[in-house]
């Protein structure tokens, strides 16, 4: 069964000659089991008629934002709520620019702004327009906000030029949409995830810690849950809400984190170590506040246990994913950690860039496993988490066969 079965897909069409491919796209979406409704911009109607789209989708086509009849039947907010997924194909350079600026002066852009569902854009335009830095920057910004992009193809264009900008073929768009809807991949699995920093106390008022906010680990917990897994989250001190259906345990030190993980690991199939666990802790924990005396203060540290290595070493059948937060030689160090920590998959995170990684909503990582590597472009942690979970699920299923 297709992942699109019984899903509501809203197909947005903007003004481009590639609009003729949207007719085929409706058919392919329906073949995959989706119900399709169509929204067209005014300029889209210059390329293909609403009547064609209505006949194919078997639903009225929506074109007007301020129309009493359509607003009383199914207005822009209703459509935004109805859609499980939005595909804008073709997405013209102008529409992409409008979305970047959060404009809502036509029905399609208003729905994109109002929906909480995922949006996939299939750009189509002249190759110079596509390569123009304005378009490239707009697309990068939309990606970082969580939009998915079906990269346009290279080839002969309707305008007579040759280059990138041809809208992806309907079957490619369907295949990408299917991947994004892989909701049942981890059904029946238990996943144990660590997130956030640890705090290693020095005295009753001071501790050693780091900048981890927990956002990446919490996004992974949410994505794993959406993929059907039962998720247990062991987190250091963070200021985040627990995702729905996730069972959460709060811990403080690396030792607490290890103990809680060892307690829950026997029932887990997959372990994800995303926490920024302190490698060292103060050798002595003063029961009273340390007083200011000499000019210099020597702090003696001892090694903390390595949570992910303990779990991977003790539960050999468990599928283990670790992170590597690195500031230099990122890929080399990460490949090394995959081996030394006996992991199945490693996420290499370059934390030298303050725009991503620690305490940011964005991330950009490389996935490294024993037979391959994949770079994930900069995006929100929600999107990166989905992509990590998709890769993890594929490798996990492979490892069990
Ligand atoms: O929390 P955010 O603000 O969203 O930031 C996300 C993040 C940057 C913390 C995250 O993406 C990340 O990179 N997490 C790993 C941080 C880290 O401790 O990396 P490391 O290279 O030092 O450790 C390698 C692996 O060993 C990690 O899986 C870590 O969880 C684990 N480890 C490390 C030390 C230790 N004592 N026990 C461990 O389990």
């Amino acid at each position: 069964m297709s992942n699109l079965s019984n899903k509501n897909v809203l197909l947005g069409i903007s003004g481009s000659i590639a609009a003729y491919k949207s007719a085929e796209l409706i058919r392919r979406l329906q073949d995959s089991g989706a119900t399709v409704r169509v929204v067209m911009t005014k300029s889209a109607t210059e390329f293909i008629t609403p009547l064609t789209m209505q006949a194919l989708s078997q639903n009225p086509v929506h074109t007007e934002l301020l129309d009493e009849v359509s607003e009383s039947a199914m207005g822009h907010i209703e459509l935004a709520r109805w859609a499980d997924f939005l595909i804008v194909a073709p997405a013209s350079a102008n529409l992409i620019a409008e979305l970047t600026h959060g404009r809502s002066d036509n029905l399609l852009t208003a729905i994109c702004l109002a929906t909480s569902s995922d949006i996939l854009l299939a750009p189509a335009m002249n190759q110079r327009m596509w390569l123009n830095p304005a378009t490239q920057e707009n697309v990068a910004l939309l990606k970082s906000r969580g939009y998915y992009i079906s990269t346009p193809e290279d080839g002969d264009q309707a305008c007579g030029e040759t280059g990138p900008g041809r809208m992806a073929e309907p079957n490619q768009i369907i295949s990408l949409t299917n991947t994004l809807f892989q909701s049942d991949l981890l059904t029946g699995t238990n996943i144990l995830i660590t997130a956030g920093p640890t705090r290693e106390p020095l005295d009753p008022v001071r501790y050693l810690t780091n900048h981890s906010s927990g956002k990446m680990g919490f996004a992974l917990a949410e994505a794993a849950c959406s993929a059907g897994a039962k998720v247990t989250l062991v987190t250091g001190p963070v200021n985040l809400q627990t995702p729905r259906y996730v069972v959460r345990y709060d811990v403080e030190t690396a030792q607490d984190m290890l103990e809680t993980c060892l307690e829950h690991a026997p029932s887990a199939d997959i372990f994800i170590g995303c926490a920024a666990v302190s490698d060292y802790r103060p050798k002595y924990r003063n029961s009273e506040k340390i007083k200011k005396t000499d000019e210099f203060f020597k702090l003696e540290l001892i090694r903390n246990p390595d949570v992910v290595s303990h779990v991977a070493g003790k539960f050999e059948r468990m599928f283990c994913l670790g992170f590597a937060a690195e500031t230099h030689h990122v890929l080399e160090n990460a490949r090394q950690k995959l081996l030394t920590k006996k992991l199945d998959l490693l996420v290499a995170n370059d934390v030298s860039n303050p725009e991503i990684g620690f305490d940011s909503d964005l991330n950009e990582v490389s996935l490294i496993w024993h037979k391959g590597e994949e770079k994930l472009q900069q995006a929100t942690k929600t999107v990166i988490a989905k992509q990590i979970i998709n890769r993890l699920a594929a490798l996990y299923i492979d490892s069990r066969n």
Side-chain angles (χ1 to χ4, degrees):
M1 198 168 75
S2 154
N3 296 325
L4 288 169
S5 249
N6 302 321
K7 295 285 188 295
N8 291 334
V9 176
L10 192 79
L11 175 62
I13 305 177
S14 62
S16 157
I17 183 63
Y20 77 93
K21 291 188 186 174
S22 314
E24 171 73 7
L25 184 56
I26 294 176
R27 278 275 197 251
R28 299 287 76 85
L29 285 166
Q30 289 168 330
D31 291 346
S32 305
T35 302
V36 184
R37 283 182 177 271
V38 177
V39 171
M40 299 175 76
T41 63
K42 194 170 177 324
S43 51
T45 63
E46 311 277 342
F47 290 93
I48 192 159
T49 68
L51 195 60
T52 307
M53 296 316 200
Q54 178 170 311
L56 289 169
S57 68
Q58 294 160 8
N59 275 312
V61 169
H62 307 265
T63 53
E64 299 299 328
L65 177 59
L66 299 173
D67 173 332
E68 279 170 31
V69 180
S70 44
E71 279 293 306
S72 63
M74 204 174 208
H76 65 290
I77 298 296
E78 279 300 306
L79 284 165
R81 285 187 190 139
W82 174 85
D84 294 313
F85 194 71
L86 262 86
I87 301 177
V88 183
S92 66
N94 183 54
L95 188 98
I96 288 172
E98 286 184 333
L99 292 177
T100 310
H101 289 282
R103 294 185 67 112
S104 58
D105 54 4
N106 68 58
L107 182 61
L108 181 53
T109 52
I111 291 171
C112 289
L113 206 57
T115 191
S116 57
S117 298
D118 287 334
I119 304 178
L120 170 70
L121 303 180
M125 64 198 75
N126 164 275
Q127 52 108 10
R128 285 169 208 269
M129 292 168 80
W130 172 250
L131 293 173
N132 190 296
T135 305
Q136 289 300 309
E137 281 168 27
N138 287 342
V139 168
L141 190 61
L142 289 175
K143 267 189 191 170
S144 74
R145 289 182 189 154
Y147 279 75
Y148 296 102
I149 308 291
S150 180
T151 312
E153 292 175 352
D154 217 311
D156 294 339
Q157 299 202 302
C159 54
E161 294 183 13
T162 304
R166 286 160 55 112
M167 185 174 108
E169 292 302 320
N171 55 7
Q172 285 174 295
I173 298 173
I174 295 285
S175 147
L176 181 56
T177 309
N178 251 314
T179 314
L180 299 173
F181 259 116
Q182 286 185 337
S183 55
D184 301 331
L185 279 178
L186 292 172
T187 300
T189 59
N190 287 318
I191 305 197
L192 180 59
I193 303 181
T194 67
T198 60
R199 279 183 187 168
E200 308 297 336
L202 181 55
D203 70 12
V205 296
R206 305 179 180 95
Y207 51 80
L208 297 180
T209 191
N210 57 64
H211 296 294
S212 171
S213 62
K215 288 177 189 168
M216 191 67 244
F218 275 57
L220 283 163
E222 191 156 13
C225 237
S226 310
K230 271 174 79 178
V231 179
T232 304
L233 181 64
V234 180
T235 177
V238 296
N239 198 8
L240 296 173
Q241 288 227 323
T242 314
R244 252 181 4 144
Y245 309 121
V246 168
V247 179
R248 167 175 172 173
Y249 294 91
D250 288 276
V251 296
E252 201 156 310
T253 64
Q255 191 61 41
D256 296 340
M257 188 169 270
L258 176 64
E259 281 163 23
T260 311
C261 285
L262 289 178
E263 198 180 311
H264 295 281
S267 54
D269 306 290
I270 297 172
F271 179 78
I272 299 180
C274 181
V277 187
S278 191
D279 286 324
Y280 293 90
R281 66 178 183 274
K283 188 167 181 187
Y284 305 105
R285 178 175 178 167
N286 268 54
S287 57
E288 291 175 1
K289 184 181 170 192
I290 299 167
K291 289 292 175 198
K292 185 166 54 182
T293 49
D294 299 337
E295 194 62 26
F296 296 100
F297 180 84
K298 243 190 183 160
L299 185 57
E300 217 179 328
L301 301 175
I302 54 168
R303 274 282 281 273
N304 260 332
D306 193 295
V307 179
V308 81
S309 296
H310 259 75
V311 173
K314 193 160 185 248
F315 302 91
E316 280 180 11
R317 269 195 59 73
M318 180 141 30
F319 187 98
C320 287
L321 180 158
F323 273 70
E326 304 290 341
T327 52
H328 58 283
H329 306 308
V330 177
L331 291 178
E332 291 91 314
N333 289 339
R335 287 183 196 119
Q336 197 59 34
K337 278 186 181 161
L338 179 77
L339 300 177
T340 53
K341 297 198 183 225
K342 296 194 169 61
L343 303 170
D344 299 286
L345 175 60
L346 191 122
V347 180
N349 208 158
D350 182 349
V351 290
S352 64
N353 176 357
E355 312 262 297
I356 58 167
F358 281 112
D359 201 20
S360 163
D361 289 334
L362 302 177
N363 217 347
E364 183 181 319
V365 299
S366 292
L367 307 187
I368 303 173
W369 61 100
H370 296 284
K371 290 190 186 153
E373 294 192 6
E374 179 184 6
K375 180 156 175 52
L376 304 183
Q377 298 300 327
Q378 192 172 119
T380 59
K381 283 181 176 166
T382 311
V383 172
I384 294 282
K386 266 192 190 176
Q387 293 171 318
I388 293 174
I389 292 296
N390 278 348
R391 173 61 64 191
L392 174 144
L395 291 172
Y396 173 71
I397 291 164
D398 224 34
S399 74
R400 303 293 117 159
N401 291 329

